[in-house]
Amino acid sequence: MEPFSAWMQAKGPDADIVLSSRIRLARNLKDMVFPNRLTDDVAEKMLHQVEQAVNDLSRTWQMHFERLDHLSPIDRQVLVEKHLISPAFIEEPVKYRAIAIDERESISIMVNEEDHLRIQILLSGLQLEEAWTVANQLDDALERRLDYAYDSHSGYLTACPTNIGTAMRASVMVHLPALVLTRQASQVFTTLAQIGMVVRGLYGEGSDAIGNIFQISNQVSLGLSEEEFIHNLATVTQQIVGRERHARQYLQHNAGVMLADRVERAWGLLTHAHIMTSEEALRLLSEVKLGQDLGLLPKTKSTFTQLTLFTRPGFLQSQAGHELNAQERDQIRAQFLRERLREEVQSV
């Protein structure tokens, strides 16, 4: 498993604020019950069909198929931390679940999550249309090998009614520290809810918005085409980016000393602390990134997303090669950040 996924490179339009763009398609196979009702023999048959389809595509798409129960619990957690699979996907039992991932870790397919297939494309920056192009091509290639459950009136049939229709969820992961600091975020999110958008935390549904990171996506997938959903979300995201930039300018002009003090204190803690929780690390890294984006702090070679991955529990244990208790993780996390940030600034 590679340390970083390609989408973590912070490249692409507005990548300083839009950390990633994601297109997710839910698909189910015809004449098979949904995953929560699959019997062992049917689940095995379905897994075999999907594995064959992925293997047929492996030369073109460079994808690798892996059963989840063949991966260690730590490796599964790292996949969640990279946003390649959902937190719910690694909940026991994981038998008859599998994951297909391409070499760049921009494409992932969850097999037997809520639906038989969850096809996901992740790109850096605001690249929803580009992600949809890839998702559509991959979906077509899979559909030529698998018989999807589809109704001419309702669209793609899914386990959850909110996914029926296009069965597409388009989302962006955005970093909005200035909107939070100026207390505009709640107003923005209320407006989004009124126009059919949903705001979630760092790891999607049910997760907290740690480090001023939010996921924004369409609420339903019925009534519009995929292109219309994507256009609407892209337009909304551009407006949010504009508001975040304006809020940053406001802070610089009206609270410059306070802002400089805040981001430099965050830098000081990250480069000197000996114990640090994952939540504190994310909060401080968020403030350091704001300082870097505004030219108040030196840049580092590692991107914000890469640094946040380094602080996550699963990744720390993966690098250590064994399980760590909470206190060990807090010490190793602090040591890593202390050494990494100092080294990267000195070598810039």
Side-chain angles (χ1 to χ4, degrees):
M1 190 182 299
E2 293 297 320
F4 299 126
S5 304
W7 70 268
M8 297 178 181
Q9 295 174 353
K11 296 179 180 178
D14 296 311
D16 56 326
I17 294 174
V18 184
L19 303 180
S20 68
S21 296
R22 184 188 72 164
I23 297 295
R24 191 207 69 196
L25 304 175
R27 298 290 186 260
N28 288 281
L29 303 190
K30 188 177 179 180
D31 299 326
M32 285 192 181
V33 297
F34 294 128
N36 64 337
R37 299 183 61 192
L38 283 173
T39 59
D40 289 356
D41 57 334
V42 176
E44 184 63 42
K45 177 183 176 182
M46 195 275 290
L47 269 181
H48 181 66
Q49 288 182 15
V50 175
E51 184 174 12
Q52 279 191 317
V54 170
N55 288 340
D56 284 347
L57 298 174
S58 61
R59 182 171 298 177
T60 303
W61 294 88
Q62 289 83 46
M63 299 188 70
H64 172 68
F65 187 92
E66 188 77 60
R67 295 191 179 219
L68 216 58
D69 57 2
H70 292 178
L71 298 173
S72 70
I74 291 177
D75 285 340
R76 297 174 208 161
Q77 182 62 38
V78 172
L79 290 173
V80 172
E81 293 168 356
K82 289 183 172 185
H83 298 273
L84 298 175
I85 61 176
S86 66
F89 193 52
I90 64 172
E91 294 176 359
E92 295 289 349
V94 297
K95 191 177 182 181
Y96 303 120
R97 291 179 181 174
I99 177 75
I101 307 176
D102 76 319
E103 290 181 345
R104 291 170 51 80
E105 296 186 344
S106 295
I107 301 171
S108 65
I109 303 173
M110 288 182 283
V111 185
N112 280 338
E113 197 227 32
E114 186 177 56
D115 295 286
H116 294 147
L117 300 178
R118 286 286 178 94
I119 304 165
Q120 176 178 275
I121 311 299
L122 264 174
L123 298 179
S124 177
L126 184 53
Q127 297 193 78
L128 287 167
E129 292 183 1
E130 292 82 354
W132 163 240
T133 298
V134 177
N136 194 30
Q137 292 172 349
L138 177 57
D139 184 43
D140 287 346
L142 286 168
E143 193 168 13
R144 287 192 289 269
R145 293 161 174 83
L146 300 169
D147 196 3
Y148 285 162
Y150 183 83
D151 179 81
S152 58
H153 175 71
S154 302
Y156 291 100
L157 304 182
T158 58
C160 181
T162 60
N163 288 326
I164 206 167
T166 63
M168 184 195 74
R169 179 67 57 82
S171 66
V172 291
M173 185 161 61
V174 290
H175 181 232
L176 306 175
L179 286 179
V180 173
L181 283 172
T182 56
R183 300 187 179 182
Q184 299 180 63
S186 59
Q187 178 189 1
V188 170
F189 298 158
T190 299
T191 302
L192 289 175
Q194 293 171 349
I195 60 173
M197 301 287 178
V198 61
V199 181
R200 296 188 170 98
L202 180 60
Y203 293 106
E205 189 171 357
S207 65
D208 297 325
I210 311 170
N212 302 311
I213 301 172
F214 305 90
Q215 289 192 31
I216 303 169
S217 64
N218 56 300
Q219 179 73 53
V220 295
S221 59
L222 185 64
L224 297 175
S225 69
E226 292 92 343
E227 290 80 6
E228 288 172 319
F229 280 122
I230 289 167
H231 173 75
N232 291 346
L233 179 58
T235 300
V236 166
T237 303
Q238 288 169 342
Q239 293 172 351
I240 293 172
V241 167
R243 291 197 64 165
E244 171 67 18
R245 294 201 190 285
H246 185 268
R248 293 182 182 192
Q249 291 174 359
Y250 174 87
L251 287 173
Q252 277 191 299
H253 294 152
N254 296 278
V257 175
M258 178 277 292
L259 183 62
D261 182 72
R262 188 183 188 102
V263 300
E264 288 180 19
R265 282 176 183 269
W267 178 266
L269 281 171
L270 286 169
T271 54
H272 289 85
H274 288 261
I275 298 176
M276 186 164 293
T277 66
S278 57
E279 290 77 11
E280 183 183 19
L282 273 175
R283 178 179 62 79
L284 295 172
L285 285 170
S286 170
E287 296 185 355
V288 163
K289 174 170 167 44
L290 176 61
Q292 291 174 328
D293 289 344
L294 295 177
L296 301 174
L297 291 174
K299 295 278 188 179
T300 53
K301 287 184 178 179
S302 296
T303 68
F304 171 60
T305 313
Q306 290 169 346
L307 289 170
T308 60
L309 175 64
F310 273 131
T311 70
R312 307 313 294 160
F315 194 86
L316 289 173
Q317 294 176 97
S318 175
Q319 295 299 296
H322 56 84
E323 291 186 7
L324 302 167
N325 61 39
Q327 183 177 0
E328 290 171 331
R329 293 197 301 270
D330 290 351
Q331 291 176 348
I332 292 174
R333 180 181 298 110
Q335 179 184 359
F336 162 77
L337 288 169
R338 196 171 63 243
E339 295 175 353
R340 184 88 176 195
L341 292 175
R342 289 176 177 176
E343 175 189 346
E344 291 198 351
V345 167
Q346 289 172 358
S347 60
V348 169

